[in-house]
Amino acid sequence: MSEQIILKDKTFELYIPEHQIIDAITTVAGNIVRDMKDLNPLFVGILNGAYMFVAELMSKLPPTYELTFAAYSSYRGTKSGGRVKELLPIPVENRDRPVILLEDVIDTGLTMQYVMGRLREEGANDVRLATLFFKPTSLRCGIKPDYVGIETGNDFIVGFGLDYDGYGRSLRSIYKIIEG
């Protein structure tokens, strides 16, 4: 893995190539189709980071599934602040139907714990979580994603929608930070 990039003041090296990401998303899509066979799920893409995951995943799902977006934030730079801010609430009625949240990465899990709790309070009859990347050793709450593309370590990663202060989102592969 010798390919490196520089974003702002940080250097990153290739970590997960695009083909591995696409394969993982294809597997997640198959599992969702199996589980949601006769249901009417609402998919909620979490902006900004999940946009590439959402686009790739939804292209592999039936066109009859409904999709919307919401935005929450707890990050600044390379660290999670631990406090969740709702930037764009879910604009679609979700009462009495299954909701599948589509997230780019689960690390502390605190943002998705908050969102999942809110959806249950609002009357969603089933709330599931699909994440492209999962950092299980960073988890600081009791949530467990229902669908995981790739488990990773605790490294700070960018690409495929994930960013460093807004940079690197458009990379098709994943790069991890080189601490130095």
Side-chain angles (χ1 to χ4, degrees), residues 37-132:
K37 184 174 169 123
D38 295 319
L39 302 174
N40 179 29
L42 171 64
F43 288 83
V44 179
I46 305 300
L47 298 172
N48 289 333
Y51 79 96
M52 287 179 75
F53 173 46
V54 171
E56 191 66 38
L57 178 72
M58 295 306 290
S59 75
K60 298 175 183 327
L61 295 175
T64 55
Y65 287 160
E66 186 176 6
L67 170 66
T68 191
F69 292 91
Y72 304 87
S73 178
S74 66
Y75 260 85
R76 184 158 200 90
T78 62
K79 302 283 187 226
S80 175
R83 200 172 124 228
V84 177
K85 286 192 253 180
E86 185 174 46
L87 305 175
L88 174 67
I90 297 169
V92 175
E93 175 63 41
N94 55 56
R95 181 171 297 285
D96 298 324
R97 70 188 292 195
V99 176
I100 300 178
L101 297 168
L102 305 176
E103 180 64 300
D104 55 355
V105 62
I106 301 294
D107 43 29
T108 67
L110 297 173
T111 301
M112 286 301 98
Q113 181 181 46
Y114 168 82
V115 175
M116 293 174 84
R118 287 276 308 269
L119 286 167
R120 288 183 184 105
E121 288 172 6
E122 293 170 0
N125 67 8
D126 184 13
V127 180
R128 296 188 185 199
L129 176 58
T131 185
L132 182 53

Side-chain angles (χ1 to χ4, degrees), residues 12-58:
F12 297 82
E13 66 183 354
L14 183 63
Y15 182 46
I16 304 170
E18 178 182 3
H19 70 86
Q20 189 176 341
I21 297 166
I22 301 303
D23 289 349
I25 293 171
T26 301
T27 299
V28 167
N31 291 335
I32 289 172
V33 168
R34 177 197 67 218
D35 293 350
M36 295 290 123
K37 184 174 169 123
D38 295 319
L39 302 174
N40 179 29
L42 171 64
F43 288 83
V44 179
I46 305 300
L47 298 172
N48 289 333
Y51 79 96
M52 287 179 75
F53 173 46
V54 171
E56 191 66 38
L57 178 72
M58 295 306 290

